[in-house]
Amino acid sequence: MKKLAIHAAEDIRWEDVDKPEPAQGQIRLRVKYVGICGSDLHYYFHGANGEYTIREPLTPGHELSAVVDIDPSGRLAQGTPVVVHPARYGAEVAGLESRPHLRPGGDYLGSAAATPHRQGGAAEYLIVDEGMVRVLPDGLPLQRAALAEPLAVALHAVSLADRVAGGRVLVIGAGPIGLLVLAAAVRAGAQTVSASDVRNEALQRASSLGADELLLVGRDTIADETYDVVFECSGAPVALTQAVRATRRAGTIVQVGMLPNAEIAVNLAPMLAKELTLRGAFRFSSEIDDAVALLAESDRLDAVVTHVVSAQNSVEAFALARDSSLSSKVLLEF
């Protein structure tokens, strides 16, 4: 079988490896589509994602759809279409009963957070624990289903904010996650949803998903104290400063974009007088089930996927995924 492996910055290889065999309690999947995520881009272009540095070849990929190849238990027939919840949780911790994704000691597909690394799904075949598999409803195409993991991230982020329903919402950063957060906010009943980005192409995609107002960085001004909730999805420190200014008094900021693992210049002074709530959003817990159901309802989110590239052309795919003027979500096809 073939798999992708990142050996160092801008060194990704299409390698031959032995096909893995599932044990009891595991399932072997034939992978079909893998989405390129922001963390995958960091691993490929920089050799690290935040504080997590590649120390051995890493197969990326945690956004994937597949069909069952072998289920030793006999529960799932060969060819059953599925997606994968990419997390395995750590031991239970008091106070985190409803937030298992925050427990220390867990892992995530395609992550260099631990050594040995947790290898990801960018391979023709993948072994996962049977509890990680979610069977797709009839009629949900595998290509659209590959959005389940990032959509779950977006649904979780929206669930963390007060006053989305009936409120004025701003999404800063109209990349793939920002677009899905925007769609989730619209679905949650926001009165208006605005989108801000440095590229007009990204804003046009936001418009197709229901944005009421498009704000081009460098051209348009975001008025202070305008929004009840701001979702910062770009990961740019200057955008967090903008979010603090744009949020109304007693409003909420949800930090979704991955900020640099460094001392950064952010002006948080207005938080005090406005009594703002600043919350981080980290992955998700059970929202992947809601994401699958939402994707099965309609093809509305198909617009988030702009390119499907053969996995053996991964260098081209990663270059496309990096350029938001050309692409939104890029899928690798296996």
Side-chain angles (χ1 to χ4, degrees), residues 107-256:
D107 61 23
Y108 213 72
L109 290 177
S111 172
T115 301
H117 298 337
R118 177 70 161 123
Q119 300 299 322
E124 291 180 322
Y125 292 89
L126 176 69
I127 300 290
V128 296
D129 296 345
E130 59 185 10
M132 300 169 71
V133 169
R134 303 292 189 274
V135 175
L136 300 183
D138 293 339
L140 175 53
L142 283 167
Q143 183 172 309
R144 187 189 311 155
L147 291 173
E149 193 276 349
L151 180 56
V153 171
L155 292 171
H156 179 68
V158 170
S159 76
L160 294 173
D162 298 325
R163 298 170 66 185
V164 171
R168 289 178 54 83
V169 172
L170 171 65
V171 177
I172 299 178
I177 286 293
L179 293 177
L180 293 171
V181 168
L182 186 153
V186 170
R187 181 176 174 81
Q191 176 187 339
T192 62
V193 182
S194 301
S196 169
D197 200 276
V198 297
R199 294 189 180 274
N200 191 58
E201 297 89 348
L203 293 178
Q204 296 312 307
R205 298 181 196 115
S207 178
S208 72
L209 290 175
D212 301 288
E213 180 185 29
L214 306 177
L215 300 162
L216 184 64
V217 175
R219 181 193 70 187
D220 301 316
T221 300
I222 299 176
D224 292 353
E225 302 194 30
T226 305
Y227 300 95
D228 301 299
V229 180
V230 176
F231 295 95
E232 201 300 288
C233 299
S234 74
V238 67
L240 180 53
T241 295
Q242 179 66 75
V244 171
R245 292 174 179 154
T247 308
R248 288 178 173 171
R249 293 169 187 260
T252 301
I253 301 165
V254 181
Q255 182 64 41
V256 187

Side-chain angles (χ1 to χ4, degrees), residues 1-3 15-21 28 123 125 127:
M1 60 165 268
K2 292 283 192 177
K3 73 170 185 178
E15 299 180 340
D16 286 302
V17 294
D18 292 336
K19 189 184 296 185
E21 295 297 328
R28 187 169 77 191
Y125 292 89
I127 300 290

Side-chain angles (χ1 to χ4, degrees), residues 306-330:
T306 56
H307 296 80
V308 179
V309 180
S310 173
Q312 60 188 308
N313 297 324
S314 58
V315 172
E316 171 194 345
F318 274 81
L320 268 174
R322 189 186 202 184
D323 189 345
S324 61
S325 68
L326 298 175
S327 71
S328 181
K329 178 59 67 180
V330 176

Side-chain angles (χ1 to χ4, degrees), residues 76-96:
L76 297 179
Q78 187 176 47
T80 300
V82 299
V83 294
V84 174
H85 191 312
R88 296 187 299 191
Y89 301 134
E92 292 187 10
V93 176
L96 295 179

